Amino acid sequence: MFRFIFPFIVLISIAANIYSQTALVKGSVINSQTSEPLSDCNILVKETLTGTSSNFNGEFIIELPFGDFTLQFSYIGFETYIEKINLKSSKTLVLDVKLVPVSLKEDQITVTGKKSKPNTVEQSIIAKEIKRMPNLYNDVLRSVQVLAGVSTNNELSSGYNVRGGSFDENLIYLNGFEIYRPFLLKQGIEENQTLINPGLVSSINFYNGNFPSRLGDRMSSALEVKYADHFNNTIHGSFYADLLNTGILLNNSINDFNWSIAGRYSYPDAFLKQLQTTGDYSPSFSDFQFSGNYTFGDNRIELLGLLAENKFFFEPESWIGNFGGLTRGDYRELKIDYTGRNEYRYVTSLIGIKSINKIFKNTKLLTSAAYYSTNETEQKNISGNIFYNENPDQSHPVNEYVKTRDELVDNKLDLSSYRLSVGLMSEIGNHILSTGAEYRIVDLSNRVNENFYELGDSTLLQTPYEKFVDQSIKLNSLSIFLEDEIKITRELKTVAGLRYLHYDYTNENLFSPRLSLLYEPTPLTTFNIGWGYYYQPPFINELKNPEIGQLKSQRAIHYTLGIEHLFREDFKFAAEVYYKDLDNLIPFYFDELKMVYLNGNTREGYAYGLDMQIDAELVDDMRSIIGYSYLDSKERDKGTAKYQRRLLDQTHTIQIFLQDKFKKHPNWQSHVRFLFGSGQLYYNRIAVTNPLTGDSYIDVNINNPAEYFLYFRVDMGLSASFDIFQDYKLLFVAEVLNVFDHLNYGSYDWVEVLEEFNAPVRIPRVLSQRFFNIRMEFEF
């Protein structure tokens, strides 16, 4: 590949524009209240749609040809500043800019997946007003599903897949601290809210491949969420309530101390009652979060704390599923009558502290410490009598007893993670050097106590199992990274990084080189090339099955080539092709949402594809996103020639988020989210015979996967905001989730009911129906 990359770089370098008459504009950007330098302030030259960002000391420098220009200085939490300049000589123009802090209202939330620095190779998206994006719970992780390269096939879950990888392959950071989704989930309905509070968020950065060396060790993607950290010196906040959840938040600035607190309570039983399985649902979620920072001179301390509890209690009554018969227009019915209950609960806490100290003019010392804990319990004692109805349209349908299914579960998982890190960032000439080390102590206690069996007249029963596991595992690790961002010329930048990981559990020493090149032949067009190694050491889900034996890290090598073009300031097109070389893969299948890993590192594979994204203001000051992705991902057992599609190989996906408003009444707005995907895959269940007893059972066949029906979903929201006093706002939102009432498939149940076939048939477990939600929010 490199024999094509370097000639490409040489050719586009020859085509670069050369300006003969130029002048320098340099200066600094500071906080007008504290005089604190503002690093990474965005500085845009509006006439050329190019620009730069301030360094660690708030300093910037731009080279421009002679003429009149408009500079725009923007920084989250501050008022945008405009400066008009005239350059008519080579004399350096000096600007000292003071930005005024503003209270960060919730309607200023921005999601960004754009390439803000040359050390990332990612799709570009901007979507304002996350909380108005229609989705279940107005959830941050579910908003990521509109990004190119991201796919999902279950709206009940916040999980997402990136370029053919599972959710286990994604990193999530909150204010620089890694967080996790629950580990014992089997159904999306058990999850409820996620840990990230959308009311506190100021920005989200998403990397769908080739993420930088400073981030951790996963094979697919990284998500960085940052809470707002600049507020006014008067208390601001909001209160909201809808049919599913309620919450309150407050923020304030006292001298140099900025703080925000928020609490949420969720009660989605109204939504769950319309699902395919009927019964008594009693779910609840509550959390409390605090975020604060204190600035003194050139130094800064940041704090983050959260405590969340999720409870799910369910007494199922019945489930009815339909499947096709032998003739067109014919369908048959399977019914399960339940007794028993299902309880799921987790308590998660996080406390983190970060210190940023300026030790030299161009050098900062970063230290942080964090404690993360999650305690999960899953208890289930459910018995289901399964009946088959050959002709459910009859006035007096006859239910034929098939079998009884019993499931007993008593699982408990405790995870404690202690993290200590230290790093340096320094700007030397045209180099920005960063390095850091992190040590983690991770204690895992995992008890699995599960029993499953079936009894009845069916000749094929699912394979019975009894599983008891009592694990106490240490997953300690040491990681070190070194990264250099180099501005080679005005048009060409590169980021070269190296990451080292020692993982105690596998006793591996892993080196991950990563490289990206960014070339801007014109202010409107950018090319990027990326390459890097990404290892994923075995973590909780991979280690749940001790029968697998000794594992080692899975590995992916990323190759990316992308282009981004600005047609105008508010209309951007981006496209990227990629290839991932995959090795040491651990095969798995899904039991509903739960990933069940099999065997060891027995497989290898690949993934390649194309992501395209349009990010545009089709309506003034309202971002819209239109994306398309193509994916081809396959794997095979090592030493064999035949490839098969990977389970998350969703060939075509379309993601659309549109916003509009009434021209005469711009406070009335509409928001539509559209997700489409060709089907993901599943493994068929087949009849297998126990060689010792001669009994036949239904079991998983991990070869020749089949494809689900396509995934299709449209969610729509209408909002109206009103200024009722000088600093008060009232917002009303009406949402229709699943507008067309399309029933997507979440999984299949497998039962032998047809005498014509000595094999199990699949009965779809469908997801959510149409749901109407109304919401009121009061900002002050």
Side-chain angles (χ1 to χ4, degrees):
M1 180 172 181
F2 287 99
R3 62 180 178 178
F4 300 106
I5 293 176
F6 289 107
F8 172 76
I9 296 173
V10 172
L11 288 175
I12 57 180
S13 298
I14 294 174
N17 293 322
I18 300 174
Y19 298 99
S20 58
Q21 289 184 312
T22 61
L24 292 179
V25 180
K26 69 178 184 178
S28 62
V29 186
I30 64 173
N31 184 327
S32 64
Q33 292 184 358
T34 66
S35 297
E36 173 193 4
L38 298 179
S39 62
D40 290 326
C41 174
N42 291 318
I43 304 161
L44 173 70
V45 183
K46 302 192 74 171
E47 286 76 11
T48 64
L49 297 181
T50 186
T52 186
S53 59
S54 56
N55 64 15
F56 308 130
N57 300 311
E59 300 168 340
F60 68 92
I61 185 169
I62 307 175
E63 185 178 7
L64 293 170
F66 292 172
D68 295 321
F69 297 97
T70 304
L71 302 185
Q72 176 179 291
F73 296 80
S74 58
Y75 196 91
I76 292 175
F78 289 79
E79 294 180 359
T80 299
Y81 177 77
I82 302 293
E83 178 77 27
K84 294 184 179 294
I85 61 174
N86 174 264
L87 301 177
K88 54 186 178 182
S89 72
S90 58
K91 184 178 179 180
T92 299
L93 176 64
V94 179
L95 297 176
D96 292 318
V97 177
K98 297 180 180 180
L99 296 186
V100 179
V102 296
S103 176
L104 188 65
K105 298 289 186 180
E106 292 176 9
D107 60 0
Q108 293 172 293
I109 294 172
T110 302
V111 182
T112 63
K114 70 176 184 177
K115 177 183 74 286
S116 58
K117 290 186 178 181
N119 63 349
T120 65
V121 180
E122 50 189 319
Q123 296 298 316
S124 299
I125 67 109
I126 297 176
K128 294 181 180 179
E129 303 174 354
I130 294 176
K131 292 179 64 179
R132 298 183 190 176
M133 182 182 296
N135 64 64
L136 191 59
Y137 309 118
N138 295 108
D139 182 64
V140 171
L141 294 188
R142 288 176 173 87
S143 71
V144 174
Q145 297 168 358
V146 302
L147 306 177
V150 178
S151 63
T152 181
N153 69 337
N154 192 326
E155 65 269 10
L156 301 179
S157 168
S158 66
Y160 54 87
N161 312 308
V162 180
R163 292 179 171 177
S166 72
F167 189 84
D168 279 358
E169 300 176 22
N170 303 326
L171 289 162
I172 304 176
Y173 291 95
L174 178 58
N175 280 14
F177 304 111
E178 187 174 0
I179 61 175
Y180 308 95
R181 286 179 66 239
F183 297 100
L184 296 184
L185 289 176
K186 185 175 180 180
Q187 304 176 75
I189 57 175
E190 299 171 342
E191 184 175 7
N192 212 312
Q193 297 269 13
T194 58
L195 293 180
I196 302 170
N197 188 323
L200 297 174
V201 173
S202 64
S203 63
I204 296 176
N205 294 315
F206 180 73
Y207 306 81
N208 59 5
N210 273 96
F211 46 90
S213 300
R214 62 180 173 82
L215 299 179
D217 299 282
R218 289 289 190 275
M219 290 199 298
S220 287
S221 75
L223 178 71
E224 289 188 296
V225 180
K226 190 177 188 309
Y227 281 171
D229 57 5
H230 288 86
F231 307 104
N232 281 343
N233 55 10
T234 56
I235 292 181
H236 289 268
S238 67
F239 169 80
Y240 67 89
D242 61 27
L243 299 181
L244 302 177
N245 54 102
T246 185
I248 186 171
L249 68 89
L250 300 170
N251 58 61
N252 184 224
S253 179
I254 305 174
N255 295 326
D256 295 320
F257 179 63
N258 294 275
W259 61 268
S260 60
I261 59 174
R264 294 180 291 172
Y265 181 73
S266 178
Y267 38 85
D269 48 307
F271 173 79
L272 300 181
K273 286 179 180 178
Q274 48 91 57
L275 296 180
Q276 188 179 19
T277 303
T278 62
D280 181 14
Y281 289 91
S282 298
S284 68
F285 172 92
S286 59
D287 76 340
F288 174 81
Q289 301 194 30
F290 169 82
S291 176
N293 63 85
Y294 178 68
T295 302
F296 50 102
D298 294 327
N299 306 308
R300 177 184 173 96
I301 294 177
E302 300 177 0
L303 297 172
L304 175 66
L306 68 83
L307 178 64
E309 181 181 34
N310 179 43
K311 297 178 181 179
F312 177 81
F313 180 85
F314 179 39
E315 290 184 341
E317 294 178 357
S318 65
W319 175 88
I320 296 177
N322 297 306
F323 60 100
L326 298 178
T327 61
R328 186 175 182 180
D330 180 24
Y331 78 97
R332 307 182 184 194
E333 180 181 276
L334 195 76
K335 181 181 181 182
I336 306 178
D337 289 333
Y338 290 108
T339 59
R341 65 180 185 177
N342 176 19
E343 293 185 58
Y344 172 76
R345 178 177 182 264
Y346 74 71
V347 177
T348 298
S349 61
L350 167 67
I351 182 167
I353 182 170
K354 185 186 300 182
S355 175
I356 304 172
N357 303 93
K358 184 176 180 181
I359 56 177
F360 302 110
K361 179 181 179 181
N362 296 317
T363 303
K364 289 185 179 181
L365 172 68
L366 298 85
T367 57
S368 66
Y371 170 71
Y372 182 93
S373 170
T374 187
N375 310 105
E376 296 183 55
T377 58
E378 178 189 19
Q379 294 179 321
K380 185 182 298 183
N381 185 354
I382 293 179
S383 179
N385 293 318
I386 302 176
F387 299 91
Y388 168 60
N389 187 347
E390 186 173 3
N391 191 353
D393 285 336
Q394 288 181 342
S395 56
H396 300 286
V398 177
N399 290 322
E400 176 186 347
Y401 172 76
V402 179
K403 58 184 176 181
T404 297
R405 176 181 298 166
D406 290 311
E407 187 174 8
L408 291 91
V409 173
D410 185 12
N411 296 336
K412 188 175 190 302
L413 185 146
D414 296 321
L415 173 72
S416 296
S417 174
Y418 305 85
R419 169 185 176 272
L420 179 64
S421 68
V422 60
L424 287 172
M425 299 179 67
S426 182
E427 184 172 355
I428 305 173
N430 60 345
H431 295 258
I432 299 178
L433 292 167
S434 58
T435 184
E438 178 182 275
Y439 185 68
R440 291 193 187 190
I441 300 174
V442 179
D443 295 323
L444 170 65
S445 176
N446 181 38
R447 187 195 68 197
V448 178
N449 188 1
E450 298 179 352
N451 288 271
F452 177 88
Y453 56 91
E454 292 183 337
L455 299 171
D457 298 332
S458 175
T459 57
L460 282 180
L461 306 176
Q462 293 201 39
T463 304
Y465 67 83
E466 294 183 6
K467 181 185 296 184
F468 181 79
V469 176
D470 193 358
Q471 297 173 308
S472 181
I473 304 175
K474 288 190 175 294
L475 302 173
N476 302 342
S477 64
L478 170 67
S479 60
I480 302 172
F481 79 91
L482 175 65
E483 193 170 83
D484 188 10
E485 179 179 331
I486 311 168
K487 185 176 182 180
I488 301 174
T489 67
R490 186 176 59 196
E491 299 84 12
L492 183 63
K493 300 177 183 178
T494 183
V495 174
L498 178 65
R499 184 175 181 85
Y500 164 77
L501 173 69
H502 175 78
Y503 198 63
D504 282 359
Y505 181 79
T506 58
N507 195 29
E508 290 178 294
N509 294 289
L510 305 171
F511 292 88
S512 304
R514 300 173 188 178
L515 176 68
S516 62
L517 299 173
L518 184 76
Y519 185 75
E520 301 181 26
T522 74
L524 303 180
T525 305
T526 302
F527 296 94
N528 56 60
I529 300 172
W531 167 84
Y533 274 70
Y534 296 85
Y535 289 95
Q536 179 164 322
F539 201 51
I540 293 176
N541 285 333
E542 297 92 323
L543 300 177
K544 285 181 182 177
N545 184 3
E547 298 177 0
I548 293 179
Q550 186 63 37
L551 294 173
K552 57 183 178 180
S553 298
Q554 303 178 85
R555 189 268 292 153
I557 306 176
H558 292 202
Y559 303 87
T560 60
L561 174 62
I563 181 173
E564 177 184 287
H565 183 74
L566 288 171
F567 291 95
R568 60 174 191 261
E569 183 181 356
D570 59 357
F571 194 105
K572 182 191 306 180
F573 170 79
E576 186 170 85
V577 294
Y578 62 88
Y579 178 85
K580 296 197 292 188
D581 180 3
L582 308 173
D583 198 10
N584 294 327
L585 299 178
I586 307 172
F588 64 88
Y589 71 92
F590 286 101
D591 180 6
E592 296 190 55
L593 278 186
K594 184 171 68 174
M595 291 182 65
V596 181
Y597 284 90
L598 305 166
N599 306 326
N601 302 92
T602 59
R603 291 196 169 181
E604 60 187 4
Y606 65 84
Y608 68 84
L610 165 68
D611 294 331
M612 295 188 295
Q613 189 96 54
I614 292 175
D615 171 20
E617 289 188 6
L618 304 180
V619 178
D620 289 344
D621 201 35
M622 300 192 74
R623 293 282 179 176
S624 293
I625 302 167
I626 302 174
Y628 166 78
S629 296
Y630 171 81
L631 169 68
D632 188 332
S633 182
K634 292 184 172 63
E635 66 182 16
R636 65 182 177 186
D637 290 322
K638 292 184 178 181
T640 63
K642 184 180 179 181
Y643 280 100
Q644 68 180 36
R645 294 177 65 188
R646 302 195 74 203
L647 282 186
L648 300 173
D649 180 26
Q650 202 164 6
T651 308
H652 303 282
T653 54
I654 298 173
Q655 309 89 1
I656 298 176
F657 176 59
L658 299 176
Q659 298 190 91
D660 198 359
K661 59 185 176 183
F662 291 94
K663 184 175 294 186
K664 293 184 178 180
H665 303 281
N667 58 314
W668 291 80
Q669 301 177 354
S670 63
H671 320 269
V672 177
R673 188 181 75 145
F674 171 87
L675 299 177
F676 169 86
S678 54
Q680 294 184 353
L681 305 180
Y682 63 91
Y683 287 135
N684 278 303
R685 272 52 168 181
I686 59 174
V688 297
T689 302
N690 188 320
L692 299 178
T693 64
D695 296 329
S696 295
Y697 294 101
I698 300 172
D699 208 348
V700 179
N701 176 23
I702 64 171
N703 297 307
N704 301 317
E707 186 173 305
Y708 282 112
F709 191 64
L710 61 85
Y711 183 85
F712 169 76
R713 185 175 176 88
V714 178
D715 302 313
M716 182 176 68
L718 299 174
S719 65
S721 62
F722 303 93
D723 296 323
I724 53 179
F725 295 108
Q726 182 177 359
D727 293 321
Y728 299 90
K729 179 183 292 186
L730 196 60
L731 173 69
F732 294 97
V733 179
E735 293 180 332
V736 184
L737 305 179
N738 195 3
V739 173
F740 296 105
D741 202 24
H742 177 74
L743 298 180
N744 294 298
Y745 292 1
S747 62
Y748 288 113
D749 207 331
W750 299 83
V751 181
E752 186 204 23
V753 292
L754 298 177
E755 296 180 356
E756 298 92 331
F757 301 98
N758 185 28
V761 297
R762 62 188 188 190
I763 301 97
R765 289 187 174 271
V766 299
L767 300 175
S768 61
Q769 303 176 28
R770 183 189 296 119
F771 182 77
F772 296 90
N773 190 25
I774 56 174
R775 185 167 183 257
M776 185 276 293
E777 183 171 344
F778 176 64
E779 297 180 11
F780 55 90

